[in-house]
Amino acid sequence: MSSAFIPSGMAAIESEIDHARRRGPLQQIVVPPCPELLTRLERVMATAEPDLNEVARIAQADVAMAATLIRQANGALFAADPPVSSAGQAMNRLGLQRSAALMRAFLARHAIPVRSPLLEGFWEHSTQRAETLACIARHLPGLSPDLAYGFGLFCHVGQPVLMQSVRGYAGTMMEARARRDRSFVETENANHRTDHAVVGALTARCWHLAAPVVAAIRLHHSLESLGQPGIEPEVHTLLAAGLVADMLVARQNSLPPEPEWARFHPAALDWLGIAAADIDAWRDELAERAVLA
C-alpha cells in the first residue's frame, strides 16, 4: 500500500493495514515479536495511576535493563547525589516517566537490532527524537508525553523492519537518499509497493501501541494531511510536534532540516498555536536538560 493514498482517521488506517496485510505487500513483512516486558510496561503505563511496584518488577526482570537505569541514575545529572545500586532506587531518582522511557528504548533496541551500516545510529537518533517530543509535549495541552515519546521512538521503525524483511531494501535506501526528483517514500513504493511509514504503522499496531501513535507513524510523510478534516486532533498534534522535533534534532546535530520543514512548518505552527519564539524557548530548555546533548 502506497503512501500516495492518505487514509482519513485512525479507523481508516487500521483498515488499510488489515487489507495490505491480508492481500497486499505487507504479507511479506516479518514483524519481530513485541517483548513481553514491553507489553507489560505499556499496559501498566496506560492506566490512570500506574502501579510503581509493577514497573519496578518489570525493570528488575532484565538485568541489563536494570543496569541501564542504574547507570542513568548515577550519571552526570545526579553527580552530587550518592550512587544508587538497585533498579528501584534508580526509578526513585529518575522518576516514573523517565524510567519508563529508558525501559521502552532499551526493550525496542534489543527486539529490533540494527546491523546495517546504512542505519548506523538508528536507535540513538530515535531516542533523541523521542525525548525531544516528550519535552515538547509538556508544553502542549492535551498531548501526553508518553504518547509523544512512543511516536518519536517508533516513527521510523519501518526502516529496520524492511531491511530485515525485504530483499534489496538496502539498495533502495541508497537510491532514495541520492534521488532529488522524488521523495524517499516514493522511491520505496516504486521499488517495493510499500514504504517505511506503512510498515512502521504495522509494527506499532502489532506491538499494541496506542492508535494515535499508529496513525501518526502512518502519516508522518503525508503531512499534506495536517489540519485536514477526518483525522483525529491528537494525531494532528503528534504530526505537527514531530515536525518541530525533527527540526530541533537536526539543528542540534548541525544538519539541515528535512525538506518537509520548509513546506509544512507554517501549518504545523498554526495547528499547535505557537510561534518561532516558542520553538527557540524549547530549544533552550532542551539544551539545559541535556536532552539533545
Side-chain angles (χ1 to χ4, degrees), residues 7 10 14 21 43 76 94 97 110 137 168 172 179 209 211-212 262 276 281 283-284 286:
M10 294 187 292
E14 296 271 349
R21 191 64 161 158
R43 186 182 302 121
L94 294 168
Q97 300 300 328
H110 286 78
T172 294
R179 296 192 73 132
L209 300 187
R283 173 66 186 88
D284 293 342
L286 288 163

Side-chain angles (χ1 to χ4, degrees), residues 278-291:
D278 296 298
I279 297 177
D280 290 339
W282 295 348
R283 173 66 186 88
D284 293 342
E285 179 183 345
L286 288 163
E288 290 175 4
R289 290 169 175 248
V291 171

Side-chain angles (χ1 to χ4, degrees), residues 2 4 14-16 32 57 77-79 149 155 167 172-173 181 184 218 228 262 271:
S2 165
E14 296 271 349
S15 178
E16 175 202 32
R57 284 190 290 269
L77 288 176
F78 304 98
Y149 188 95
C155 186
R167 180 176 298 178
T172 294
M173 284 199 74
D181 59 327
F184 196 101
R218 169 63 181 88
Q228 296 301 308
W271 177 267

Side-chain angles (χ1 to χ4, degrees), residues 108-233:
R109 181 193 298 256
H110 286 78
I112 307 178
V114 175
R115 300 183 178 91
S116 170
L118 291 171
L119 290 172
E120 184 178 2
F122 175 85
W123 283 116
E124 289 79 5
H125 183 271
S126 296
T127 301
Q128 187 180 32
R129 187 180 194 272
E131 292 179 342
T132 302
L133 261 167
C135 187
I136 290 173
R138 296 185 184 97
H139 297 279
L140 300 175
L143 181 59
S144 158
D146 271 353
L147 210 65
Y149 188 95
F151 173 48
L153 186 65
F154 289 100
C155 186
H156 297 291
V157 74
Q159 291 181 346
V161 173
L162 278 164
M163 189 72 77
Q164 294 175 11
S165 297
V166 177
R167 180 176 298 178
Y169 184 70
T172 294
M173 284 199 74
M174 290 189 288
E175 177 188 351
R177 290 175 178 177
R179 296 192 73 132
R180 295 294 178 265
D181 59 327
R182 63 189 184 192
S183 70
F184 196 101
V185 293
E186 286 172 339
T187 298
E188 289 178 315
N189 276 289
N191 292 355
H192 306 296
R193 296 192 303 123
T194 193
D195 59 59
H196 74 274
V198 176
V199 173
L202 168 68
T203 303
R205 188 181 177 207
C206 289
W207 282 31
H208 305 293
L209 300 187
V213 171
V214 175
I217 292 172
R218 169 63 181 88
L219 297 174
H220 78 275
H221 283 300
S222 301
L223 292 174
E224 58 270 28
S225 65
L226 186 57
Q228 296 301 308
I231 297 173
E232 291 77 5

